[in-house]
Amino acid sequence: MLRKLLSLVLFFALPAAAQTIALRVGHVINPATGVVAKDQVILVENGKITAVGAPSAIPKDARVVDLSNEWVMPGLIDAHTHLTLSEIPGKAPFEASYLKEGTALRGLRGLHNAQAILQAGFTTVREVGNEANYACSDLKQAFKQGWFDGPTMQCAGKIIAPFGGQAVRMPPEQGEFWKWEYIDADSPDEIRRAIHENIFYGADVIKLVADNSAFHYSENDIRVAVEEAHAAGRPVAVHVYGGPAADNVIRGGADSLEHGFGLTDDQLRLMKEKGTFLVGTDFPASHLAGLNPSNDTLADADALGKKIIDRLGRAYRIGVKMAFGSDTVSEMPGRTRADLMLDYLAVWRAAGVPPAEILKAMTTNGAELLRINNERGSIAAGQFADIIAMPSDPLQDLESLRKVNFVMKNGKIVRSPN
Ligand SMILES: [Zn+2]
């Protein structure tokens, strides 16, 4: 009886059924397989895709959107962003960016960047730390409330690192100011506590920095972090360039290595064997030149640019699972954060990765790494309607992704060519 009453209440509490949107589409790209289906209709209702198939299936009262001259695919995923952070240009050290801007301003910067990248087709991002005092969590809430259109955001909260965060050569008189962005954790117990704190304040992913200093996280430290994070349903992403620290990260069972610029073939093979993702943050040399070198790795932009192309090519040929991640933090006059993120496509091409594989890294693989592949990352019935379109085929020319002119986010059209 109670059940019957409850269902009656629910029935009357439900809003009127939302209108079905029917996207009449010229070409639908399935990035998981690289297969293109022609002349399809995608039906969207209450934020989700309800059917994909032949044009005969359009319901009479549906709102029809004509994308018959377009190439359509799932919204793009960037697995390594810092939308709330921007480097202060010039010679200011990296630390200045978080000394000069408070959490509110960082949240607004994040909003500005999030709106720009959504318009460009990035419908999901993973913000891997450097978000001041949990600005990403606040931004995520604002999007969930519907106050603004924005991408789905996963947040890491404060980055967990051995003493010092990612600050470099700071005088002791300044105190431990990095603690606004990082949590010092130098033992398994401190790592567990830091993970709890982050999850409490809204973290969806746990981000560690393994090798910013001469002291590294041990294999056991990483394993402890992975066990603790996995028990709470969160993946672990670890900033690591290479060397023995990377061995510890791979063997300790991290879900993804971030950057990994110095990974050897043996390390890449071990990653393949263990199913570890590489989020390579494959910077174009021109972007590296604009970064303030906070450590020696970033000092020679040309050399590092070549090293990144080489490492990306090797990772692809060895068969490591890769998710697209940009790590864009610079501002360049006249260019949006999204423009800069799409500059990475040229690096992937230079490394010899075929366009179909790159699209997969930007959708299917990203969704798997973010543990959302049952709801996002493909165009299929039951998925949230995160859909983008462009007037030419990205499988032929990847730069087509710069021409995205239709964006649907959770079933709402936020950009349209018509
Ligand atoms: Zn980063």
Side-chain angles (χ1 to χ4, degrees), residues 107-130:
L108 290 167
R109 181 187 287 292
L111 175 61
H112 171 74
N113 286 329
Q115 290 183 327
I117 68 161
L118 179 64
Q119 288 294 310
F122 286 90
T123 53
T124 298
V125 294
R126 183 165 84 156
E127 187 84 347
V128 283
N130 289 124

Side-chain angles (χ1 to χ4, degrees), residues 67-81:
L67 299 173
S68 52
N69 293 316
E70 303 264 319
W71 274 258
V72 165
M73 62 178 282
L76 305 174
I77 298 172
D78 188 322
H80 190 123
T81 63

Side-chain angles (χ1 to χ4, degrees), residues 80-82 128-130 159 166 207 239 258-259 281 283 326-329:
H80 190 123
T81 63
H82 301 285
V128 283
N130 289 124
I159 296 171
Q166 285 178 279
K207 166 85 177 294
H239 162 119
E258 314 286 311
H259 316 302
T281 66
F283 285 87
S326 66
D327 198 20
T328 307
V329 290

Side-chain angles (χ1 to χ4, degrees), residues 307-325:
K307 194 172 166 180
I308 287 173
I309 292 172
D310 172 68
R311 192 276 280 112
L312 180 54
R314 287 186 291 116
Y316 168 65
R317 290 190 293 275
I318 287 170
V320 176
K321 277 202 284 194
M322 295 196 284
F324 180 84

Side-chain angles (χ1 to χ4, degrees), residues 29-36 356 395:
I29 299 168
N30 179 347
T33 59
V35 171
V36 179
L395 291 166

Side-chain angles (χ1 to χ4, degrees), residues 160-173:
I160 301 167
F163 185 84
Q166 285 178 279
V168 181
R169 291 184 290 273
M170 282 291 135
E173 290 83 347

Side-chain angles (χ1 to χ4, degrees), residues 29-34 72-79 121-124 277 322-325 345 348 355-379 383 386-388 390 394-395 398 401:
I29 299 168
N30 179 347
T33 59
V72 165
M73 62 178 282
L76 305 174
I77 298 172
D78 188 322
F122 286 90
T123 53
T124 298
F277 271 93
M322 295 196 284
F324 180 84
L345 298 177
W348 284 68
E357 288 296 322
I358 301 172
L359 295 185
K360 190 175 171 185
M362 299 178 91
T363 53
T364 317
N365 290 1
E368 184 188 337
L369 175 61
L370 271 60
R371 301 183 170 198
I372 54 170
N373 45 349
N374 58 347
E375 40 187 62
R376 301 182 196 278
S378 61
I379 294 182
Q383 289 258 313
D386 289 357
I387 297 170
I388 64 173
M390 63 216 90
L395 291 166
L398 258 186
L401 289 176

